[in-house]
Amino acid sequence: YYYAQSSMHMFLDTRSVPEPLDSILLAAFEFDIHQVIKDCSIALNNWWFVGHLTDLLDHCKLLQSHNLHFGSNLREFLLLEYASGLFTHHSLWQLAVDYFDHCPEFGRVYLELQIERVPLDTERKALKVIRICEQRQMPEQVRSICKIMAKKALRNNRLGSALSWSIRAKDAAFATLISERYLQDYCAKGTFSDLDLIDNLGPAMLLSDRLTFLGKYREFHRLYGEKRFSEAAKLLLSLMTAKIAPRSFWMTLLTDALPLLEQKEVIFSADQTHELMFCLEELTSWKSVPNPDRPMQDEDIETTKIELLRLALARNLAMAIVKEGTVEV
């Protein structure tokens, strides 16, 4: 340091200001570690050098006396600053996670704040972020990301993806909303989209009543397609009597019962037919409330459906009573 300073005086006049590198080298020759870090922080355009230098010095036990007053040591502070900068980069943000992992005091807090700011451009990137959060037991961040992806998928009318994300987020309200969309699409088109997803909901259908109904209603169609009419009839009736089905969907369910009522073999028992009749009358009372927004044509169609249902139910009841009476005799 003594010879370096003498050389500086020899080659610089009194009016010249030393270059930043000269000041850094002088502090290094003097073994003033703190001054080296300070000068480098001012002179260099990022935290890479000071962060890694400080980390090495800390591992050499040379920074023990340089603790900060606001809760973290100098090493962690500089690594946190460097990692925060990496998080703004489109491809280096994953590397920043490793730096946060090596900051025992505030690393997790910083990661929780920064991870929610990662732009979720694709589902693949979202899954990467979720995997990072799951590995570090960050359930709130996982739910938040899943909700964001569910809303994005719904805006793009990708119902299957939206439902998958909402189930993963355990968001009952959003799962209910998407289930309603599925049912609306079914009423408009007469078919379900994303059958593989709906068929394999499993325990996830218990997340909300509407999702349960969607899964069970799809199961009814599957049973009907397999000609397991008795099981399909029992399931259809339970959806109405257990009040799982939305009232606005009852007419669709009763209409689905018509082919079963028209079978040559009696599918619905007398008791089951009485329950269907009760549901029809309850629906009729509910629909009797005037609705000025409903077109007259729709009113006529509804009336025709109700009359057909009454006729089919009465015929089925008579056949069921005869059949059950014959069995008893």
Side-chain angles (χ1 to χ4, degrees), residues 87-154:
F87 242 103
T88 61
H89 195 277
H90 67 92
S91 62
L92 297 179
W93 64 270
Q94 294 178 80
L95 185 61
V97 175
D98 294 326
Y99 282 90
F100 285 138
D101 285 343
H102 287 83
C103 296
E105 195 162 352
F106 292 118
R108 184 181 176 89
V109 176
Y110 269 65
L111 179 59
E112 288 175 353
L113 293 172
Q114 294 284 355
I115 203 78
E116 293 185 355
R117 299 175 186 172
V118 176
L120 304 173
D121 308 320
T122 63
E123 290 199 354
R124 184 180 176 186
K125 190 172 183 180
L127 290 171
K128 281 184 182 179
V129 178
I130 286 172
R131 187 162 57 250
I132 288 168
C133 294
E134 287 176 340
Q135 289 169 350
R136 289 156 183 80
Q137 286 78 51
M138 297 163 61
E140 288 301 319
Q141 282 68 29
V142 170
R143 276 195 289 274
S144 175
I145 292 162
C146 290
K147 286 181 180 181
I148 291 169
M149 294 305 294
K151 290 176 182 176
K152 187 179 290 188
L154 186 61

Side-chain angles (χ1 to χ4, degrees), residues 57-100:
L57 293 171
D58 185 72
H59 284 298
C60 296
K61 310 296 182 187
L62 295 173
L63 282 176
Q64 291 177 324
S65 61
H66 296 293
N67 290 326
L68 304 178
H69 296 295
F70 42 86
S72 178
N73 58 42
L74 183 60
R75 168 195 171 275
E76 182 164 318
F77 171 76
L78 292 172
L79 287 181
L80 289 171
E81 289 299 310
Y82 175 59
S84 297
L86 287 179
F87 242 103
T88 61
H89 195 277
H90 67 92
S91 62
L92 297 179
W93 64 270
Q94 294 178 80
L95 185 61
V97 175
D98 294 326
Y99 282 90
F100 285 138

Side-chain angles (χ1 to χ4, degrees), residues 10 19 22-23 38 73-74 91 93 108 111 114 134 136 162 176-178 189 191 195 263-264 288 302:
M10 189 180 299
E19 292 290 326
D22 295 329
S23 300
K38 182 179 178 181
N73 58 42
L74 183 60
S91 62
W93 64 270
R108 184 181 176 89
L111 179 59
Q114 294 284 355
E134 287 176 340
R136 289 156 183 80
T176 298
L177 175 65
I178 297 166
K189 301 173 185 175
T191 56
L195 286 180
Q263 294 290 324
K264 291 180 180 179
S288 64
E302 291 282 309

